[in-house]
Amino acid sequence: MKGFEGRRIEEYSAGYFGICTLGGMVSTGATHFASTPLDCLKVHMHVNPVKYNGFASGLSTLWREQGPSALWRGWSGKLCGYGLQGGAKYGLYEYFKKVYSDLLGDRNKSFIYFTSSLSAQVFADVALCPFEAVKVRVQTQPSFAKGMIDGFPKFYATEGATGDHTYLSLPNIFLTVAMIMFTTFEYSVDFIYRNILQTRRENCSRAQQLSVSCLAGFTSAAVGTVISNPADIIVSSLYNKKAETMMQVVRNTGIANLFTRSLPVRMTIIGPVVTMQWFLYDSIKVLSGLPTSGGLKKRPEEAKTLPEREIAVSELAEKV
C-alpha cells in the first residue's frame, strides 16, 4: 500500500487496538463537544416543541432567554461521555470484528458487521449512559446543576445508581442504530472502491482513502439519523420527566412525529459530526502507519500483493 511501507504497528496487535481506541476517543469527544450548541437546541426541541419549533428561532429563543452560555450547557458531558463511548465503540468494534472474522471467515460479512457493532456498542453505551443522563438534565433544567462536577453528585443523591428510568437500559434503544450505521459504512466503503473508483484500497493515495471514509461516514450518518430519531426523542422525554414510560412517550408524541420532530436539526448535527469522526479516526490511523477503515481481516492468500501472486503462479506453472 502506498505510504505504508514504514509501518511500525502490526494490524490487529495490542498497539493497533490501542490506536483505534485512542482515535475513537479523540474523534468522538472532539466532534460532540463542537456540536454542543446544536445538541442543546435539539434537546429543547424534543421536550418543548411548541416553544422551540425551528432551527433559527430556537437558537434565538435560547440566546435571548438564557444567554449565550446556555448554548454550551452540558459541554463537559459531551466531551467526557462521548469520548469514553467513542473509544469503546471504535476500539472494541475493530477487536470484535477480528474475533468474529477468525471464527466465521468471510462467509457472512453482514452478520460479522452486525454482531461486532452490537458487542462493541453494549460497552460503549454503558460508559455513556450516566454522562448522558446528567447532560440532558443540565441542558433542560438550568436549576439542576451547572455541569458534570456538581451534576453527578446531585443525580446520584436524588435518583441513586440507576435513576428513575434505569439509564443502564439505554443501550437497548441504540444498539440497532449502531449496527445499521457500522454495516452501512462497511458496505459503502466496499461499494465506492469496487464500483466508483474501481480499484483496491492499496492502490489509492491517503487523500483518496480518507475521502472514501468521509463519504461512507456521511452515508451511514444519514441512514442512522432517520432510524435513531424516535429513540432520541424517547430518551430526552424520559430524562426530562415528560413521561414515565417509553410507550407513554410514543402515545404522547405520535408515530409520525417520532420520525420527523427535530429531524432537520439532528441531520445537521449528525451528518457532519459522524463524517468528521471517521475523518479524524482514520487520519489518526494513517498517521500511525495503518490503513483506513473498512473490510474484514485479510486471509494470508489475500494479503499477497499482485507481484507476489504472479510469482506464486509462475512457480506453480514451472512445477507442473
Side-chain angles (χ1 to χ4, degrees), residues 21-48:
T21 301
L22 176 63
M25 292 181 66
V26 172
S27 62
T28 307
T31 51
H32 276 279
F33 167 75
S35 68
T36 299
L38 292 177
D39 179 71
C40 191
L41 171 62
K42 176 204 71 177
V43 172
H44 278 78
M45 291 179 71
H46 285 177
V47 299
N48 196 342

Side-chain angles (χ1 to χ4, degrees), residues 173-182 223-225 227-229 231:
I173 299 176
F174 289 108
L175 289 179
T176 302
V177 178
M179 294 163 66
I180 292 174
M181 288 185 69
F182 270 106
V223 174
T225 300
I227 294 173
S228 67
N229 204 58

Side-chain angles (χ1 to χ4, degrees), residues 13-286:
S13 64
Y16 171 80
F17 295 122
I19 290 296
C20 293
T21 301
L22 176 63
M25 292 181 66
V26 172
S27 62
T28 307
T31 51
H32 276 279
F33 167 75
S35 68
T36 299
L38 292 177
D39 179 71
C40 191
L41 171 62
K42 176 204 71 177
V43 172
H44 278 78
M45 291 179 71
H46 285 177
V47 299
N48 196 342
V50 175
K51 186 175 183 179
Y52 303 96
N53 57 5
F55 183 82
S57 62
L59 285 176
S60 176
T61 301
L62 268 177
W63 184 291
R64 183 178 64 256
E65 294 186 353
Q66 302 183 33
S69 62
L71 298 177
W72 288 96
R73 190 173 290 135
W75 68 267
S76 56
K78 297 278 286 181
L79 180 63
C80 299
Y82 282 94
L84 289 174
Q85 188 216 36
K89 179 171 66 175
Y90 285 94
L92 289 175
Y93 175 71
E94 297 286 357
Y95 172 76
F96 284 120
K97 191 166 67 168
K98 175 187 180 300
V99 170
Y100 296 140
S101 179
D102 288 342
L103 290 173
L104 303 174
D106 57 358
R107 293 186 297 273
N108 194 331
K109 291 184 178 181
S110 296
F111 181 77
I112 293 174
Y113 296 148
F114 274 126
T115 53
S116 299
S117 55
L118 170 66
S119 302
Q121 197 70 25
V122 168
F123 294 95
D125 281 344
V126 167
L128 169 65
C129 281
F131 291 92
E132 183 71 7
V134 176
K135 177 193 74 77
V136 173
R137 296 291 179 81
V138 169
Q139 287 178 331
T140 59
Q141 302 174 20
S143 61
F144 178 77
K146 294 181 179 180
M148 292 293 111
I149 295 178
D150 58 336
F152 266 121
K154 188 171 183 179
F155 182 84
Y156 182 80
T158 57
E159 303 196 14
T162 58
D164 289 343
H165 302 296
T166 314
Y167 60 77
L168 288 177
S169 66
L170 180 59
N172 296 327
I173 299 176
F174 289 108
L175 289 179
T176 302
V177 178
M179 294 163 66
I180 292 174
M181 288 185 69
F182 270 106
T183 303
T184 300
F185 175 85
E186 295 280 4
Y187 277 108
S188 297
V189 168
D190 181 71
F191 178 84
I192 293 170
Y193 282 118
R194 187 183 303 272
N195 298 289
I196 299 178
L197 297 179
Q198 297 182 349
T199 186
R200 297 172 60 186
R201 186 203 324 260
E202 291 82 354
N203 299 326
C204 297
S205 66
R206 295 186 183 188
Q208 288 176 315
Q209 293 180 44
L210 290 174
S211 298
V212 170
S213 296
C214 289
L215 182 56
F218 184 83
T219 303
S220 69
V223 174
T225 300
V226 175
I227 294 173
S228 67
N229 204 58
D232 205 47
I233 292 175
I234 290 171
V235 169
S236 295
S237 298
L238 290 177
Y239 283 146
N240 202 49
K241 308 291 187 179
K242 294 293 183 179
E244 294 299 324
T245 65
M246 287 189 288
M247 289 306 300
Q248 187 177 346
V249 177
V250 173
R251 288 194 297 269
N252 294 343
T253 307
I255 298 296
N257 288 332
L258 283 175
F259 284 93
T260 59
R261 181 177 295 174
S262 75
L263 182 62
V265 176
R266 291 195 73 235
M267 192 70 76
T268 303
I269 299 173
I270 296 177
V273 164
V274 174
T275 302
M276 187 56 64
Q277 279 178 19
W278 281 108
F279 174 75
L280 293 175
Y281 175 67
D282 274 352
S283 294
I284 291 173
K285 291 175 69 175
V286 166

